[in-house]
Amino acid sequence: MTAIEETTQTGLADRYGRVATDLRVSLTDRCNLRCTYCMPEEGLDWLAKPELLTDDEVIRLVSIAVTHLGVNEIRFTGGEPLLRRGLVGIVASTTQLSPRPEVSLTTNGIGLARQAQALKDAGLDRVNVSLDTIRPDTFKLLTRRDRASDVVAGLEAAQAAGLTPVKVNAVLMRGVNDAEAPELLEFCLDRGYELRFIEQMPLDAQHGWDRSTMITADEILETLSRRFALTPDDASKRGSAPAESFLVEGGPQTVGIIASVTRPFCGDCDRVRLTADGQVRDCLFARTESDLRTALRNGADDAELADRWRRAMRQKLPGHGINDPSFLQPSRPMSAIGG
C-alpha cells in the first residue's frame, strides 16, 4: 500500500487527536462594509482574479473534503460571499455531493433579501448574519455604511425562505455598542433569531486590537443579566460548538457567547479553513498556510490533493496562543481568511 493509499483511510486528523469535519470556505476577500474592527475605511488590496479559485476549483476541493476526508459541514464565508457571482451554483453543487454535507453561509446580510430564496432552492440549509446593532446611527458608525435596513430585510428574507435557524453574530465594541446588547437580544428573541455574541479577536487589518478595551464574555453576561434571567443551557450538548449557550427567562429561547479569547475552546476544535486563493489554514490564527491551488493547477489528482490536505492538518498547534506573551497576530485579516 502506498503512502497516499494508506492515508486515504483517515480524515483530517492533527497530532492532538482532533479531527476536522467542519470546513470554512472563503469565496472572496472583498466586502461591501468597512467595519472598524475589521478593515480601514479605504478598504484593502483585494486579491487579483487570477489568484482566486474558480468556481470549478472551489467545487473540486470541497468535493475532495467531503468524499475523501470526512468533512460533513461546509460554511461559505468571505469577505462577503454574496459578492461571489457563482455563489448559488457553488451551493447547488455542494448540496449534491454524497454524502450530503450540511451547508451554511456567513454573510453581512446586504443583498440577502434578493438571494435568499435562490440559495434555499440551491439547497442551502441556513445562514449566519452579522449584525452588531439595530440602531441605524450606530450601524453607520461601526460599518461606515448606511445599510442597517438592508441587513434587517435580509434577515427577514432568510427566515421567510426557510434558511433556519437564522443565526445572528454580534461583536461589541466598548463605548460604541456595548450598552445596546440587551436591545439586540430582544430584537432577535421577538423574531425567532438565534443571537450569539463574539468576543472581538485580533484579526483586524490595522492590528489595532487591544485586550484592555475588548468586551469580555463575563461583561456581556453581566450586561444581559440586568434585563434578562440567564441560566446555562445544560441540555445543550456543546461538543465542538464555539458558543456557550444560555437559556433566556428559562427558555426555550437561548443566547450564545463565543469567548474565543477569555475561554478558548481549542481542545475541541473541529474546523479547517480554505482561503479564496486556495490555501489551507488549520487555525484561524495560524501564521502559516499550505498551498493547494498550485498543486491543483499543476494537475494533481484528487488523492494527492487529499494527502496534501492531511499533511497540512498535521501541523496544527494545540491552541491559538492568544494568551501567550509571544502571540503574534496573523498577517491576513479576517476578511482575507474567512470566518
Side-chain angles (χ1 to χ4, degrees), residues 101-159:
E102 177 183 317
V103 184
S104 59
L105 179 78
T106 293
T107 171
N108 63 28
I110 296 175
L112 185 56
R114 296 191 305 272
Q115 298 191 54
Q117 190 58 57
L119 288 166
K120 178 64 177 179
D121 293 343
L124 188 70
D125 294 306
R126 61 176 183 81
V127 293
N128 286 42
V129 179
S130 298
L131 180 63
D132 304 319
T133 176
I134 57 170
R135 299 183 187 179
D137 55 341
T138 307
F139 185 94
K140 186 175 181 180
L141 180 65
L142 277 168
T143 68
R144 304 186 178 102
R145 298 292 186 271
D146 190 10
R147 305 295 297 272
S149 60
D150 295 309
V151 181
V152 171
L155 286 165
E156 293 171 351
Q159 189 170 65

Side-chain angles (χ1 to χ4, degrees), residues 126-127 129 155-156 158-160 162-168 183-196 248 252-255:
R126 61 176 183 81
V127 293
V129 179
L155 286 165
E156 293 171 351
Q159 189 170 65
L163 294 171
T164 54
V166 174
K167 295 187 178 182
V168 174
E183 68 185 59
L184 181 58
L185 177 54
E186 188 168 14
F187 170 87
C188 290
L189 293 173
D190 288 346
R191 291 158 180 79
Y193 307 147
E194 294 185 11
L195 176 60
R196 303 187 306 174
V248 182
Q253 291 177 291
T254 62
V255 62

Side-chain angles (χ1 to χ4, degrees), residues 82-99:
L82 291 177
L83 296 177
R84 179 86 181 215
R85 291 185 178 181
L87 173 61
V88 172
I90 292 171
V91 169
S93 294
T94 302
T95 57
Q96 291 167 14
L97 293 173
S98 182

Side-chain angles (χ1 to χ4, degrees), residues 152-271:
V152 171
L155 286 165
E156 293 171 351
Q159 189 170 65
L163 294 171
T164 54
V166 174
K167 295 187 178 182
V168 174
N169 295 338
V171 174
L172 298 180
M173 302 293 290
R174 193 175 302 280
V176 181
N177 65 331
D178 51 324
E180 300 175 28
E183 68 185 59
L184 181 58
L185 177 54
E186 188 168 14
F187 170 87
C188 290
L189 293 173
D190 288 346
R191 291 158 180 79
Y193 307 147
E194 294 185 11
L195 176 60
R196 303 187 306 174
F197 290 99
I198 305 173
E199 287 183 337
Q200 184 198 6
M201 294 178 283
L203 290 167
D204 60 307
Q206 310 93 301
H207 287 214
W209 179 84
D210 186 338
R211 177 187 294 274
S212 67
T213 62
M214 181 194 76
I215 304 294
T216 67
D218 287 343
E219 289 178 284
I220 296 168
L221 279 172
E222 181 182 358
T223 299
L224 294 176
S225 295
R226 294 172 192 155
R227 184 179 301 184
F228 303 97
L230 302 180
T231 53
D233 184 7
D234 295 331
S236 175
K237 296 180 180 179
R238 182 178 180 184
S240 59
E244 298 176 66
S245 182
F246 297 86
L247 297 171
V248 182
E249 304 295 344
Q253 291 177 291
T254 62
V255 62
I257 298 180
I258 299 177
S260 303
V261 177
T262 61
R263 294 199 281 271
F265 38 87
C266 302
D268 295 313
C269 180
D270 66 348
R271 286 169 293 286

